[in-house]
Amino acid sequence: MRILLVEDEPVSRSLIVKYLNSQEYQVDAVGTGKEARKIFFSRKPGIVLLDILLPDCDGLALIDTFRRSNPRVGIIMISKKSAPVDRVVGLEMGADDYLPKPFELPELSARIKALKRRDRLLLTEESRYYQFNHASLDFGARSIRYADGASVALSDGEYRVLAALTRVSGKVVQRDRLLNILRADGETGSTRSLDVIISRLRTKLKHKQEQQVIITVHGVGYRIVETNCEPLLENS
């Protein structure tokens, strides 16, 4: 697993690199957005540790760039910004996790290991997809593909919530179950985060359709509209 560290503070960058090297990770460390883009596209890291406060660009824009290029890359934000709105914006842009500064290096390692576990689970599902009447969930690419040929990437949280809903094919999944799924790999599993993810999924799944695919069962949770889905299939 190759890691790209984007951190503009030299002392912090050096400490993180030294620690991750001791954990036997291969680390490319840079201090600017320009350098980050160059390394990302040339070295193709599996995980990006991204300080969103950079001297030459907005780190949130990098999240969008990286996610569009590689839907499966793991992105952990590291920043002194710790207000809930900052975390929500980052997650909405496609980040998988948020670690506010200052943090303990073992905690960072635990977050990285959680993303690695997620990646291993995705590898076992690469040939699987879930077909709706106008779109399909591609488990391997972690994206939604539409009948008209367009597609849109899913963040880690979006993917896990939608995967949980499709696996039970129209049955209700309780909110607490979805929150536990989000928390399982270290992601912010707050009620607000789940609401944001459900809203984003509804927008992405609708795609020129009038009917919503994800239905709220008040006081319980959510389900997929049964008339809008077909059983889980295997790609030929």
Side-chain angles (χ1 to χ4, degrees):
M1 176 71 69
R2 180 173 292 278
I3 295 175
L4 170 59
L5 170 63
V6 189
E7 167 61 74
D8 66 324
E9 296 179 0
V11 175
S12 296
R13 186 167 66 242
S14 178
L15 288 172
I16 294 173
V17 169
K18 183 178 180 180
Y19 178 80
L20 293 178
N21 285 338
S22 74
Q23 302 294 303
E24 300 185 348
Y25 290 110
Q26 295 179 313
V27 184
D28 295 303
V30 299
T32 67
K34 181 179 180 180
E35 293 174 306
R37 289 188 179 92
K38 181 179 179 180
I39 295 297
F40 181 85
F41 290 108
S42 64
R43 306 300 290 272
K44 303 185 184 305
I47 290 178
V48 178
L49 309 178
L50 176 63
D51 188 340
I52 60 176
L53 296 177
L54 298 173
D56 64 334
C57 74
D58 181 357
L60 293 177
L62 287 179
I63 293 175
D64 185 61
T65 298
F66 295 162
R67 179 62 68 208
R68 288 177 182 274
S69 174
N70 181 2
R72 284 180 52 179
V73 66
I75 302 176
I76 300 177
M77 295 179 290
I78 51 176
S79 176
K80 291 179 180 178
K81 285 189 173 183
S82 59
V85 65
D86 297 316
R87 295 195 293 271
V88 170
V89 169
L91 294 170
E92 286 181 333
M93 294 294 289
D96 298 307
D97 203 353
Y98 187 102
L99 189 57
K101 294 181 179 179
F103 54 83
E104 297 294 329
L105 290 173
E107 181 179 1
L108 174 62
S109 178
R111 304 288 183 104
I112 292 171
K113 289 177 181 177
L115 286 182
K116 288 175 65 179
R117 287 197 299 272
R118 178 212 72 183
D119 194 59
R120 285 196 295 270
L121 288 173
L122 288 175
L123 286 173
T124 66
E125 297 184 318
E126 281 190 340
S127 65
R128 304 171 70 188
Y129 67 97
Y130 192 89
Q131 186 68 48
F132 302 95
N133 66 344
H134 65 289
S136 62
L137 167 59
D138 186 325
F139 283 80
R142 204 172 63 165
S143 65
I144 294 172
R145 299 176 183 271
Y146 305 113
D148 61 8
S151 66
V152 61
L154 298 173
S155 70
D156 183 53
E158 291 169 350
Y159 167 80
R160 282 190 277 145
V161 168
L162 186 55
L165 292 171
T166 56
R167 286 188 179 111
V168 295
S169 187
K171 297 180 181 178
V172 178
V173 180
Q174 295 182 345
R175 283 180 62 89
D176 286 347
R177 169 61 179 159
L178 295 176
L179 287 170
N180 287 334
I181 288 173
L182 291 176
R183 294 175 183 137
D185 283 337
E187 184 171 316
T188 303
S190 67
T191 299
R192 171 59 179 161
S193 295
L194 177 59
D195 291 341
V196 169
I197 286 172
I198 292 294
S199 177
R200 292 202 310 258
L201 283 173
R202 281 173 169 161
T203 298
K204 291 180 178 182
L205 285 167
K206 198 169 182 181
H207 188 67
K208 304 178 182 180
Q209 302 293 314
E210 292 300 323
Q211 186 177 18
Q212 287 287 0
V213 175
I214 299 177
I215 301 300
T216 300
V217 181
H218 293 288
V220 183
Y222 302 94
R223 67 177 178 85
I224 296 288
V225 177
E226 291 183 86
T227 56
N228 275 58
C229 60
E230 297 177 5
L232 190 67
L233 304 173
E234 296 290 333
N235 283 336
S236 58

